[in-house]
Amino acid sequence: EPEVTQTPSHQVTQMGQEVILRCVPISNHLYFYWYRQILGQKVEFLVSFYNNEISEKSEIFDDQFSVERPDGSNFTLKIRSTKLEDSAMYFCASSGRGTGELFFGEGSRLTVL
Amino acid sequence: GESVGLHLPTLSVQEGDNSIINCAYSNSASDYFIWYKQESGKGPQFIIDIRSNMDKRQGQRVTVLLNKTVKHLSLQIAATQPGDSAVYFCAERRSDTNAGKSTFGDGTTLTVKP
């Protein structure tokens, strides 16, 4: 069964450092998303990406965040200068045309010290 | 603003019993309501969705009910099994945002006792 894969599974970084989280969405999907989940809390939308551009973003997705689809398979989330409050589980998701069903990866846990 | 919330943060049921997980929402403009299951250490997994012009939809062992009058959504799981133990989130989205966001509620932790 096709799945969304994410790397790394866990990253520990120092405050102020840049972090890149990587995702390989399901191959025939067209819509890509990043969500985050602070421990014990709800899943929060960060950004959606379609046709090589951001289609929607939340207030959380400020200038420190960026996304990129550098090739035909990868979808990355970059945090330029991490803050303590960026510590969370980051989930990548994708969906196909005509359906709102999101397929999530297993997440990348980011710990900022 | 819009919000999606659940009535109870935890629910404990006996194996074989039916489970009902509830959710209240505030955004009348939502077109779809969705239930996700999140097992420990994993990402959310789609269970079932319902379009806003419907009031009931059934899947395999699951039924979603939508009451737009009171803005209430519920997920019923028949013959609950230990493998159903997880956190359940309701979510909503608009149909014009297929390339857009789903707004998640807070989650209910379902524990199934053998």
Side-chain angles (χ1 to χ4, degrees):
Chain A
E1 186 175 318
E3 60 181 14
V4 175
T5 58
Q6 291 185 240
T7 54
S9 57
H10 188 193
Q11 179 152 358
V12 181
T13 190
Q14 294 291 323
M15 190 170 55
Q17 295 296 304
E18 177 183 282
V19 162
I20 297 176
L21 305 179
R22 292 182 166 80
C23 170
V24 179
I26 293 173
S27 60
N28 62 347
H29 282 182
L30 301 174
Y31 304 88
F32 313 114
Y33 312 82
W34 283 100
Y35 286 77
R36 80 170 187 189
Q37 185 178 33
I38 295 171
L39 186 64
Q41 297 186 22
K42 68 175 76 174
V43 178
E44 299 175 289
F45 169 80
L46 292 179
V47 65
S48 59
F49 193 87
Y50 170 70
N51 201 26
N52 286 318
E53 61 183 17
I54 290 173
S55 53
E56 191 169 352
K57 60 183 180 180
S58 71
E59 310 82 55
I60 303 169
F61 195 89
D62 61 22
D63 292 344
Q64 292 301 311
F65 290 85
S66 62
V67 289
E68 193 177 35
R69 188 157 163 81
D71 52 43
S73 60
N74 290 285
F75 179 51
T76 62
L77 174 69
K78 180 192 289 187
I79 309 174
R80 256 179 282 280
S81 178
T82 49
K83 303 186 285 286
L84 295 176
E85 54 265 37
D86 293 328
S87 294
M89 184 73 91
Y90 288 81
F91 291 105
C92 174
S94 66
S95 66
R97 185 185 297 278
T99 172
E101 179 178 344
L102 294 175
F103 290 79
F104 284 85
E106 304 240 309
S108 293
R109 179 171 297 284
L110 176 64
T111 301
V112 182
L113 303 176
Chain B
E2 61 196 28
S3 69
V4 184
L6 293 174
H7 293 306
L8 290 174
T10 61
L11 177 66
S12 182
V13 300
Q14 206 69 38
E15 181 179 357
D17 287 351
N18 297 333
S19 303
I20 300 177
I21 302 171
N22 296 304
C23 177
Y25 65 92
S26 63
N27 187 1
S28 299
S30 301
D31 293 310
Y32 287 91
F33 298 91
I34 314 114
W35 283 100
Y36 286 90
K37 172 186 181 183
Q38 186 177 27
E39 295 176 272
S40 181
K42 296 190 174 182
Q45 179 184 14
F46 175 91
I47 302 172
I48 190 168
D49 65 359
I50 186 168
R51 199 180 171 99
S52 61
N53 62 356
M54 300 170 64
D55 52 24
K56 182 178 180 179
R57 189 173 184 213
Q58 285 186 290
Q60 188 177 13
R61 273 202 313 121
V62 294
T63 301
V64 56
L65 299 177
L66 176 62
N67 185 332
K68 291 181 288 295
T69 303
V70 294
K71 295 183 181 177
H72 183 268
L73 181 73
S74 69
L75 176 71
Q76 300 179 1
I77 305 174
T80 316
Q81 302 168 0
D84 294 326
S85 293
V87 180
Y88 289 81
F89 293 95
C90 62
E92 63 85 23
R93 69 175 186 90
R94 300 192 311 273
S95 62
D96 62 349
T97 59
N98 192 10
K101 67 178 181 181
S102 289
T103 301
F104 282 71
D106 289 320
T108 289
T109 300
L110 175 66
T111 302
V112 182
K113 296 177 288 186

